[in-house]
Amino acid sequence: MANFIGLRFQPKLQFCSTCSVTNHVTLSKLTLTKNLRNRGGGVKAPRRVVLGFGASFFSQFMSMAGAVIGSSNSFIASARIKGSSSVDQILKNVEWPEQFPFKEEDFQRYDESPDSVFYDTPRFVTHIDDPAIAALTKYYSAVFPPSNTPGVSILDMCSSWVSHFPSGYKQERVVGLGLNEEELKRNPVLTEFVVQDLNVNPTLPFEDNSFDIITNVVSVDYLTKPLDVFKEMRRTLRPGGLAIMSFSNRCFWTKAISIWTSTGDADHVMIVGSYFHYAGGFEPSQGVDISPNPGRSDPMYIVYSRKLSTA
C-alpha cells in the first residue's frame, strides 16, 4: 500500500533556511498533518531543513491532488508514493492528478518589485560552491554532444556571466537568455545573448525547433509563470531535445516563489517534475542527485526531460 501525506499551509509563507540572509522573517501559521500507511523507506533529510522538519513535504508522495479548502488562503496537497523515495526515484511511476495542483498564490514572492531592477547591478559571483559547480560540469560533460558538433544549438536560459559548461566547450550556436547585459557579455561560452525577463514575458524569442539542449542553472525557483516557460521550452526544442533544470538549496529568498521557499530539496524535484508534466509534450521527467559531498558542500539536483519526437 502506498504512503500518504496531507499538507496544509499558508501560500504566502516566505522562508528559506538555505539562504545566507539576515533579514527578519515573520512566518505564517503552518499546520502539517500526516497519515502514513505502510511506511517503507524514508527520504533522507536535506542538509539544511526547511522550517525545522526532519523530512521534506512533497518528497513523501508520487502523485498529487490539490484543492482549495476553507478559503482561497489555504492549500492542501495529498499524494502517494510507491517504492523507494530517494531523490533519484521521486519522479518514477508518478500518478499525476488531472489538473495542475498549484494555485496562483503559490507563485507569489516576498519581493514583487520588477526583476529587472533587482538584477540591474551585475553580480560576478557564483551562487553555488565549487564542488557543486564541478558536479554540474561533470554532468554536462556526460550528456552534452561533443564540442563543435555540426548543427548543435544550445540555449542557456536564465544565464549569467558563467554557464558551468565544460572547459573550452564550444558549439556553433550557444544562446544565453538572462536579465543582466553586462553579465551576459562576460560569458565566454555564448555566441549570442538576449536580455529578457521571463516573469514579464515568458515567450522565448526563438523559432520552433531551434535547440538541441536547454539548460537552466539555479533559477527555476524564480519563475512565476513556469508552465508558460516550459511550454515555450517544448516549442523551441527540437524533437528529442534535452531540457536540464539544475538547482541547489541556495536562493535569493525574497525573489523565489512561495511554493519553493516553503518546501525542501526533495520537494523541489517533484515541483520541477510537475512543470514538465503539465506543460505537455515531454517524456516523463527524471530526477538525479549529483550532490558531490552530502552534508559537507552544497547539494545539487537535476530534473531533466526530452521533448517527445511527436510533439
Side-chain angles (χ1 to χ4, degrees), residues 20 50 62 79 136 143 200 228:
S20 299
V50 174
M62 292 302 290
L136 179 60
V143 301
V200 173
D228 293 337

Side-chain angles (χ1 to χ4, degrees), residues 50-159:
V50 174
L51 297 180
F53 287 97
S56 53
F57 299 145
F58 295 129
S59 60
Q60 297 294 330
F61 63 72
M62 292 302 290
S63 68
M64 296 186 292
V68 175
I69 61 171
S71 73
S72 61
N73 291 327
S74 296
F75 173 83
I76 187 169
S78 63
R80 304 180 190 280
I81 181 170
K82 296 180 178 179
S84 172
S85 54
S86 69
V87 167
D88 290 0
Q89 297 296 315
I90 287 173
L91 292 172
K92 295 184 183 297
N93 301 317
V94 180
E95 297 176 358
W96 299 103
E98 183 176 347
Q99 300 296 323
F100 189 53
F102 302 118
K103 307 302 178 184
E104 182 178 354
E105 55 264 32
D106 296 322
F107 302 100
Q108 294 175 347
R109 286 115 24 110
Y110 185 86
D111 177 6
E112 292 287 5
S113 64
D115 291 345
S116 58
V117 175
F118 184 83
Y119 292 98
D120 182 62
T121 301
R123 295 178 174 90
F124 296 111
V125 297
T126 53
H127 301 285
I128 47 178
D129 63 20
D130 289 344
I133 291 172
L136 179 60
T137 299
K138 181 180 179 180
Y139 180 85
Y140 283 160
S141 296
V143 301
F144 278 10
S147 193
N148 294 310
T149 300
V152 167
S153 294
I154 298 176
L155 170 63
D156 188 29
M157 194 171 66
C158 304
S159 188

Side-chain angles (χ1 to χ4, degrees), residues 23-79:
N23 304 60
H24 176 71
V25 181
T26 302
L27 299 182
S28 303
K29 182 179 179 182
L30 182 146
T31 302
L32 178 67
T33 58
K34 294 182 179 179
N35 181 14
L36 298 178
R37 305 189 185 95
N38 189 27
R39 184 190 299 267
V43 175
K44 181 175 64 177
R47 182 164 64 93
R48 299 186 180 97
V49 180
V50 174
L51 297 180
F53 287 97
S56 53
F57 299 145
F58 295 129
S59 60
Q60 297 294 330
F61 63 72
M62 292 302 290
S63 68
M64 296 186 292
V68 175
I69 61 171
S71 73
S72 61
N73 291 327
S74 296
F75 173 83
I76 187 169
S78 63

